[in-house]
Amino acid sequence: MSIVTVQLGQCGNQIGFEVFDALFSDSHCTQGLCSKRENEAYRSSCKERFFNEEENGVPIARAVLVDMEPKVINQTLSKAVQSSRWKYGQRSCFCQKQGSGNNWAYGYSVHGPRHEESVMNLIQKEVEKCDSLGGFFIIMSMAGGTGSGLGTFITQNLQDQYSSSLKMNHIIWPYGTGEVIVQNYNSILTLSHLYRSSDALLVHENDAVHKICAKLMNIKQISFNNINQVIAHQLGSVFQPTYSEEGSFHYRRNPLGIDWQVQPPLSRLPTLGKRSLSEQLRFNTSIANLVVLRGKDVHSADVAGFKDPALYTSWLGPDNAFNVWTTQRAFSKYEKSAALVSNSQFLVKPLDMIVSKAWNMFASKAYIHQYTKFGIEEEDFLDSFTLLEQVVASYCNL
Amino acid sequence: MTQSVVVQVGQCGNQIGCCFWDLALREHAAVNQKGIYDEAISSFFRNVDTRVVGDGGSISKGKICSLKARAVLIDMEEGVVNEILQGPLRDVFDSKQLITDISGSGNNWAVGHKVFGHLYQEQILEKLRKSAEHCDCLQCFFVIHSMGGGTGSGLGTFLLKVLEDEFPEVYRFVTSIYPSGEDDVITSPYNSILAMKELNEHADCVLPVDNQSLFDIISKIDLMVNSGKLGTTVKPKSLVTSSAGAFKKRQEKPFDAMNNIVANLLLNLTSSARFEGSLNMDLNEISMNLVPFPQLHYLVSSLTPLYTLADVNIPPRRLDQMFSDAFSKDHQLIQADPKHSLYLACALMVRGNVQISDLRRNIERLKPSLQFVSWNQEGWKTSLCSVPPVGHCHSLLALANNTCVKPTFMDLRERFTRLYKKKAHLHHYLQIEGMEESCFSEALSSLSALIQEYSQLDATKSMPVEDLPRLSVAV
């Protein structure tokens, strides 16, 4: 099963490069801690998913690079070429000159329709090169203009054109203390629209990753390279091949999975009175968890802790809500590694924070003229707020 | 990559412009070692094969043949422009990019705006269109002028309306030199207020600068350079005021040091759009992030460091000092104290070897001492450009949309009122066709309305920040 990656904007392209690099490095790692045959199966599965092969054997990433200004894409392409181990397709990029100016409305309403055909064509070409399409992995940030606005537009198009394929959006949650002043507006517009067209939103918060670099890795002067490499490492450890039901040597599971999104049964949601957010979230309830284990002793690992019913909701018990994927092949020279992907209440606080700040700003009407200039009206903002309040409430009520 | 066109108007505008082109060439020469005409250079320069007669000489790629500035030079007297054309920068300008006259505007806004505006409208349009045609993707016009005189003030602001009508999608960033208190032009308050109205209505973004602040910065640097303290030798090229290593090698003129500061401002403003970095900031992002309401588009700027000491190792404390300095009132390019006023938004544009953690650490450190408006408590826009300016390892340009511009405007209004009450010199203006007393009263009320907006925001300063009640939704 192959995955087509769409990298959008500065953030999307910078991270995308690190992801492919991490995937490639890992798959060509010699210390896999497993048999040669196992390693071969792993490597070819990874290759099928993420890379195409050129005539001279150089792997080409299954990716479409999109940005509204050329500097970052040029850098990304040349970094790949310099590494001389893998590269991007020569004609896989779409670039414009002027950027989106951190304006979601510009990315969505102007760049979107204007470049819809070109971008979708590029994606189509990439899809045609796949024997079997597993789905789309769309990397974007929420705070800027291209990743957020154009990314949302493209996702909606993918929903229309490839409705039966999975779409997973990889969203970068900006630092709480501004990278972009209008980041909260851009974020709520992105999230509310994606909720209607994406199948899964995989989130990385800059603040959280920054803390990892600072506290766990003890990096003194943290650069975006460090941050992106951590993110790529985490993604790699989830997306690299794992055994399918048939067991060893059979790496056929779709890395995007099918049990990422769960619909709660409408009739059985318990009604709760009005409690403050912090009260409700003292305990992090999960809807579903996925643990990915790689390396030595993977079969004897004890995951009972994850099966505790107390972690889950009343309407979806651990038998359905908890999954483990394993492979004996070690990831990136780590003898043992584990990754956890969780659909739980952990994002409620950050989401609530963003909605709150955006709401405060919206009440003063600051910056709204920059959006209405390009067709995003106050109504659209209100719709977004309403939808996100519902999301927050639903998660709180788990 | 986009291009920008610089329109320099009047004596002040052209002198600053001249320094700007000088420093721009120096910067690109330092970065572009191979002499290839790349996208970064193309943002401000055209590559022209001078052997080709007429218009066909533009070369878009390959080796640099001859660089021409994307500029339009306008002055109603010939002295300054002629000097530029005879100086070492003469090859950078095309004779077709100039508009000059002989008589000057006599420090009279009305002459600049109404008389010369009318007279030269067609020519101006033609030159602007030409310069736009040479651009692949024109993003921004940078207008440089002074407020206190006649040409820069009057014709410069007349231009803005032309730009808005003819190129509505292109940004108009205006660098305006405001008159200081002891300005020797008596009618400068009139000229400034009349110009302000145009800036209010037709500029996307204004970067006010005043001579007194520039002068203070220079005094500070002189003190540092001449203090002769042990171990504090200043790296020669690093003075923000110097053109050392630039093309103008003759004796620097009195205003050169001050003009170089403004030129550096423009270079740093556009650095992240021209050069690569881990967090880019394009020119359209400046307006998007720093202008919350269309009328409040005046940005206070500060540049640090002013010089680099010759020490090779810059410990982190120096880096942090750079951030602290950016917020001190000594480094602002207008007489203003942002720390004690209210921030509506703030942008930090960092160049050089500075990483995101350095940026965040300093924001966390400085935040508590700054007051932000209630609806923009974390109103920071940041950018990281990898290429430092010539002579420095890193630099910072802080752009603040802050109510501290209010005193400058109020001061101006007071000087205006003092003259206007006595009707002093008014006849010079009223005798120009198209000028009436209503022009003055409208300009005054436009300014008063602006001051009122800032006052209203100031009033919210000490109020506690409350979260507004949110939407309640049915689940």
Side-chain angles (χ1 to χ4, degrees):
Chain A
M1 298 222 105
S2 306
I3 311 236
V4 171
T5 302
V6 184
Q7 316 181 167
L8 289 142
Q10 172 166 29
C11 178
N13 280 292
Q14 285 178 189
I15 291 183
F17 170 78
E18 299 294 347
V19 172
F20 280 105
D21 209 40
L23 292 170
F24 185 87
S25 302
D26 171 56
S27 74
H28 282 255
C29 185
T30 44
Q31 293 140 310
L33 287 185
C34 58
S35 70
K36 197 164 174 224
R37 190 172 148 216
E38 179 87 51
N39 210 20
E40 291 290 315
Y42 184 81
R43 187 186 292 187
S44 72
S45 178
C46 167
K47 205 149 87 161
E48 190 205 332
R49 292 171 174 207
F50 298 109
F51 296 91
N52 222 331
E53 189 150 296
E54 217 183 36
E55 298 87 42
N56 57 8
V58 176
I60 302 188
R62 296 187 192 278
V64 175
L65 294 78
V66 180
D67 201 357
M68 293 296 100
E69 64 106 12
K71 293 197 296 282
V72 181
I73 287 193
N74 285 340
Q75 246 193 323
T76 310
L77 289 177
S78 61
K79 264 165 94 171
V81 164
Q82 269 170 11
S83 79
S84 65
R85 296 172 303 158
W86 62 273
K87 52 185 197 169
Y88 285 105
Q90 265 171 344
R91 276 178 276 268
S92 305
C93 315
F94 181 77
C95 201
Q96 286 295 283
K97 303 197 180 93
Q98 197 162 304
S100 305
N102 286 164
N103 192 330
W104 193 92
Y106 200 79
Y108 186 81
S109 309
V110 177
H111 282 308
R114 201 182 277 178
H115 308 301
E116 182 177 347
E117 208 181 311
S118 310
V119 177
M120 294 311 286
N121 272 341
L122 279 183
I123 298 181
Q124 173 82 12
K125 281 213 182 67
E126 211 49 59
V127 170
E128 281 164 11
K129 292 188 209 157
C130 302
D131 278 336
S132 117
L133 178 68
F136 297 97
F137 185 56
I138 303 145
I139 315 180
M140 53 198 262
S141 73
M142 282 201 311
T146 300
S148 69
L150 182 60
T152 307
F153 185 84
I154 297 293
T155 309
Q156 276 177 215
N157 266 40
L158 289 175
Q159 169 78 323
D160 291 334
Q161 215 174 319
Y162 302 92
S163 48
S164 52
S165 300
L166 265 173
K167 289 160 292 302
M168 177 180 287
N169 289 68
H170 181 227
I171 312 256
I172 300 303
W173 208 270
Y175 285 100
T177 316
E179 299 166 20
V180 171
I181 294 180
V182 290
Q183 64 186 42
N184 298 315
Y185 280 167
N186 292 338
S187 300
I188 57 138
L189 288 166
T190 303
L191 287 172
S192 63
H193 281 79
L194 282 181
Y195 249 89
R196 299 180 207 129
S197 48
S198 173
D199 296 310
L201 305 178
L202 187 59
V203 176
H204 267 110
E205 293 172 76
N206 270 349
D207 278 308
V209 181
H210 192 105
K211 257 202 213 137
I212 293 178
C213 289
K215 304 255 161 73
L216 293 181
M217 296 171 74
N218 275 319
I219 303 180
K220 290 277 177 272
Q221 206 189 18
I222 302 171
S223 68
F224 272 117
N225 268 341
N226 299 125
I227 302 221
N228 293 343
Q229 278 162 5
V230 170
I231 295 178
H233 186 99
Q234 289 191 350
L235 287 176
S237 66
V238 173
F239 284 156
Q240 285 291 48
T242 52
Y243 297 140
S244 61
E245 277 88 28
E246 287 109 41
S248 309
F249 310 127
H250 294 273
Y251 287 106
R252 252 170 271 128
R253 184 186 295 282
N254 184 349
L256 295 184
I258 51 170
D259 28 26
W260 291 84
Q261 193 192 43
V262 174
Q263 284 284 28
L266 291 167
S267 56
R268 287 177 55 194
L269 276 179
T271 48
L272 289 163
K274 281 203 180 243
R275 283 192 293 176
S276 75
L277 199 66
S278 43
E279 248 180 61
Q280 291 171 324
L281 292 182
R282 247 172 308 149
F283 182 79
N284 188 33
T285 309
S286 302
I287 296 179
N289 285 315
L290 169 68
V291 168
V292 183
L293 298 170
R294 300 177 186 273
K296 212 166 108 180
D297 300 333
V298 105
H299 297 297
S300 49
D302 178 16
V303 291
F306 290 98
K307 295 191 190 156
D308 188 342
L311 288 172
Y312 299 95
T313 60
S314 56
W315 39 267
L316 194 69
D319 288 334
N320 291 318
F322 177 65
N323 268 292
V324 188
W325 292 356
T326 58
T327 172
Q328 229 173 323
R329 206 279 198 175
F331 177 71
S332 205
K333 302 191 190 135
Y334 285 97
E335 190 182 80
K336 297 186 198 171
S337 67
L340 170 66
V341 185
S342 178
N343 184 350
S344 66
Q345 293 174 317
F346 81 107
L347 262 187
V348 175
K349 267 225 187 80
L351 181 59
D352 190 63
M353 185 74 110
I354 286 196
V355 173
S356 167
K357 289 193 205 167
W359 185 245
N360 276 339
M361 195 182 267
F362 182 67
S364 71
K365 300 285 177 281
Y367 301 100
I368 299 293
H369 69 283
Q370 311 269 17
Y371 292 86
T372 52
K373 217 171 16 176
F374 300 109
I376 300 296
E377 304 296 333
E378 290 186 22
E379 290 246 319
D380 299 302
F381 277 90
L382 283 172
D383 286 343
S384 300
F385 280 116
T386 314
L387 195 148
L388 289 177
E389 295 283 5
Q390 282 172 338
V391 171
V392 171
S394 309
Y395 266 95
C396 281
N397 283 346
L398 287 182
Chain B
M1 182 79 70
T2 56
Q3 290 81 39
S4 303
V5 171
V6 175
V7 186
Q8 30 195 90
V9 191
Q11 174 176 19
C12 177
N14 276 289
Q15 283 174 337
I16 295 180
C18 194
C19 290
F20 168 76
W21 290 112
D22 207 16
L23 291 182
L25 282 170
R26 178 175 76 155
E27 181 167 87
H28 281 287
V31 173
N32 190 331
Q33 303 282 340
K34 296 187 196 144
I36 304 285
Y37 182 67
D38 61 10
E39 291 197 324
I41 292 195
S42 85
S43 61
F44 279 117
F45 295 93
R46 291 166 54 213
N47 190 17
V48 173
D49 184 349
T50 40
R51 295 166 301 179
V52 176
V53 174
D55 265 341
S58 285
I59 315 170
S60 52
K61 289 194 205 128
K63 270 199 132 358
I64 293 178
C65 194
S66 174
L67 289 174
K68 295 279 178 211
R70 297 188 193 278
V72 178
L73 289 72
I74 304 178
D75 200 356
M76 294 297 99
E77 27 173 45
E78 293 182 314
V80 178
V81 175
N82 276 344
E83 209 178 318
I84 297 178
L85 292 181
Q86 283 157 17
L89 283 179
R90 60 181 169 275
D91 292 325
V92 170
F93 299 108
D94 206 307
S95 58
K96 298 181 235 125
Q97 296 161 268
L98 320 169
I99 301 179
T100 53
D101 197 298
I102 318 174
S103 40
S105 305
N107 284 328
N108 187 330
W109 182 91
V111 173
H113 196 98
K114 304 280 184 186
V115 177
F116 286 124
H118 182 73
L119 196 56
Y120 286 102
Q121 181 163 11
E122 276 314 308
Q123 268 198 57
I124 291 178
L125 254 180
E126 192 212 314
K127 311 279 180 192
L128 289 173
R129 281 195 198 124
K130 223 354 151 343
S131 64
E133 274 165 32
H134 283 133
C135 295
D136 211 0
C137 180
L138 176 62
Q139 186 177 49
C140 188
F141 282 108
F142 283 102
V143 178
I144 314 179
H145 72 145
S146 72
M147 300 284 280
T151 303
S153 178
L155 190 53
T157 50
F158 173 81
L159 247 200
L160 285 179
K161 186 77 175 57
V162 173
L163 289 173
E164 189 177 33
D165 290 337
E166 184 73 12
F167 307 95
E169 314 252 307
V170 180
Y171 286 92
R172 296 169 292 286
F173 277 38
V174 189
T175 306
S176 305
I177 310 301
Y178 278 69
S180 309
E182 308 85 40
D183 198 80
D184 51 4
V185 176
I186 303 184
T187 49
S188 65
Y190 285 161
N191 298 330
S192 304
I193 302 271
L194 290 164
M196 276 286 294
K197 174 161 178 288
E198 307 298 314
L199 290 182
N200 281 343
E201 292 173 13
H202 305 300
D204 284 316
C205 222
V206 179
L207 300 160
V209 178
D210 80 56
N211 277 338
Q212 187 61 46
S213 303
L214 295 179
F215 190 73
D216 288 342
I217 290 179
I218 295 186
S219 313
K220 202 170 143 139
I221 295 179
D222 278 345
L223 203 64
M224 189 62 220
V225 171
N226 297 322
S227 68
K229 277 195 255 183
L230 264 176
T232 56
T233 36
V234 176
K235 261 162 105 179
K237 274 192 202 171
S238 69
L239 294 176
V240 75
T241 54
S242 90
S243 39
F247 292 87
K248 297 192 297 176
K249 286 191 177 55
R250 56 185 162 71
Q251 184 69 322
E252 287 184 12
K253 287 157 69 234
F255 281 107
D256 266 357
M258 289 158 67
N259 294 340
N260 275 325
I261 299 180
V262 184
N264 272 308
L265 164 66
L266 288 173
L267 277 181
N268 286 338
L269 189 69
T270 54
S271 59
S272 188
R274 290 176 289 139
F275 301 117
E276 38 117 58
S278 60
L279 191 56
N280 295 335
M281 177 160 156
D282 213 341
L283 295 171
N284 47 11
E285 295 174 29
I286 297 181
S287 186
M288 177 70 189
N289 283 286
L290 293 173
V291 182
F293 300 99
Q295 330 81 284
L296 302 179
H297 56 246
Y298 294 85
L299 304 179
V300 179
S301 45
S302 67
L303 281 173
T304 57
L306 301 175
Y307 49 78
T308 303
L309 300 181
D311 304 338
V312 174
N313 287 319
I314 315 285
R317 205 168 55 85
R318 283 276 161 71
L319 185 60
D320 287 8
Q321 185 61 40
M322 179 175 83
F323 282 89
S324 303
D325 283 342
F327 291 92
S328 97
K329 66 176 165 59
D330 297 336
H331 283 71
Q332 309 300 321
L333 296 181
I334 67 166
Q335 301 278 293
D337 192 4
K339 248 181 165 165
H340 294 104
S341 311
L342 188 64
Y343 275 89
L344 303 180
C346 185
L348 296 174
M349 304 180 67
V350 187
R351 297 180 69 172
N353 184 18
V354 181
Q355 301 302 341
I356 185 70
S357 55
D358 301 313
L359 197 51
R360 303 198 53 71
R361 179 181 69 243
N362 280 289
I363 292 181
E364 293 300 316
R365 190 172 59 87
L366 294 166
K367 216 169 52 154
S369 60
L370 304 170
Q371 294 193 47
F372 274 81
V373 73
S374 65
W375 41 260
N376 208 359
Q377 289 279 293
E378 265 96 26
W380 298 91
K381 163 74 182 158
T382 53
S383 85
L384 294 166
C385 173
S386 326
V387 178
V390 177
H392 295 265
C393 332
H394 37 69
S395 76
L396 171 64
L397 165 65
L399 289 174
N401 192 340
N402 187 310
T403 56
C404 66
V405 284
K406 199 176 69 167
T408 303
F409 297 155
M410 286 174 70
D411 202 37
L412 210 53
R413 182 171 64 176
E414 219 206 275
R415 283 186 264 152
F416 173 93
T417 322
R418 254 183 278 149
L419 279 181
Y420 194 59
K421 262 195 319 207
K422 298 181 279 182
K423 306 279 189 233
H425 304 279
L426 217 49
H427 58 284
H428 292 298
Y429 292 80
L430 296 177
Q431 72 192 16
I432 306 291
E433 190 183 324
M435 283 298 288
E436 289 156 17
E437 285 216 31
S438 60
C439 296
F440 284 85
S441 49
E442 274 167 22
L444 187 62
S445 49
S446 166
L447 181 61
S448 294
L450 184 65
I451 294 179
Q452 176 66 0
E453 290 230 24
Y454 281 112
S455 294
Q456 277 172 347
L457 285 164
D458 265 336
T460 66
K461 208 166 41 162
S462 353
M463 282 168 24
V465 180
E466 271 170 22
D467 276 343
L468 295 162
R470 301 258 291 272
L471 291 176
S472 44
V473 292
V475 176

